[in-house]
Amino acid sequence: MDEDIRELYQEVILDHGKNPRNFRHPEDAPLEAHGNNPLCGDKLTVYVRLGDEQKIEDAAFEGRGCAISIASASMMTDIVRGKTVAEMERLFGVFHNMCTGEGEADINTGGEFADDLDKLRVLSGVKQFPMRVKCATLAWHTINAAIHDEHDATTE
Ligand code: ZN
């Protein structure tokens, strides 16, 4: 990866890590789940409210962890708002591939989620560090658990 791009990505991650978006406990979010990544010590609680036709009306989180896990949760909660559960799951699938380094073609062609994947690309550097993949995907596993009424998500 180009050195300038790498620095830019790090800046974005640090900014989200220090000033996470949607870091709050909403009063009217009936779904929640706890996410735990024991390898790194990341612990998140993700809160969700669904509206008509399984549309995600609100997503927020609290917790503590490394800059990557917090940055990922910050971006995830922004990006999934307004999407349906099915769309969120499809996007998570492509994002997961991006983090593990599989399915590059999907990412490059972009498809229905081109703009979202463009933002999430800053986290793609984790593919060089397999343990970090769990940091980057924890928030997504956790929102999935919340929506499916499982109360805990763990990367183990
Ligand atoms: Zn972590």
Side-chain angles (χ1 to χ4, degrees):
M1 195 184 292
D2 189 74
E3 198 57 34
D4 290 348
I5 302 275
R6 195 191 301 268
E7 270 174 34
L8 174 71
Y9 282 9
Q10 272 173 1
E11 257 174 53
V12 175
I13 291 169
L14 288 175
D15 174 49
H16 275 275
K18 272 188 207 148
N19 307 297
R21 281 52 152 184
N22 312 305
F23 193 93
R24 59 192 161 81
H25 184 171
E27 280 179 15
D28 55 344
L31 300 169
E32 67 172 75
H34 303 284
N36 187 20
N37 176 20
L39 277 177
C40 182
D42 310 318
K43 281 181 197 261
L44 303 174
T45 304
V46 172
Y47 308 99
V48 189
R49 186 179 73 241
L50 297 181
D52 290 345
E53 295 173 358
Q54 297 278 93
K55 187 171 269 199
I56 298 168
E57 286 185 343
D58 195 15
F61 78 106
E62 290 178 321
R64 59 196 159 77
C66 66
I68 290 174
S69 67
I70 300 298
S72 176
S74 172
M75 288 183 203
M76 182 278 288
T77 45
D78 256 355
I79 281 172
V80 299
R81 189 171 299 117
K83 289 190 166 54
T84 65
V85 169
E87 287 168 338
M88 181 278 286
E89 288 174 344
R90 284 203 299 279
L91 177 56
F92 179 28
V94 183
F95 173 63
H96 198 278
N97 287 347
M98 181 191 266
C99 290
T100 57
E102 294 159 14
E104 285 287 351
D106 278 341
I107 295 158
N108 291 332
T109 50
E112 63 186 318
F113 303 120
D115 291 349
D116 299 320
L117 291 167
D118 231 31
K119 291 180 199 150
L120 293 169
R121 199 179 293 270
V122 297
L123 294 164
S124 64
V126 297
K127 64 172 174 255
Q128 294 160 44
F129 310 97
M131 282 183 49
R132 290 297 190 172
V133 171
K134 297 183 172 182
C135 303
T137 56
L138 179 63
W140 292 83
H141 284 296
T142 309
I143 193 172
N144 236 339
I147 285 168
H148 294 101
D149 226 14
E150 296 154 15
H151 300 288
D152 297 290
T154 177
T155 56
E156 287 305 280

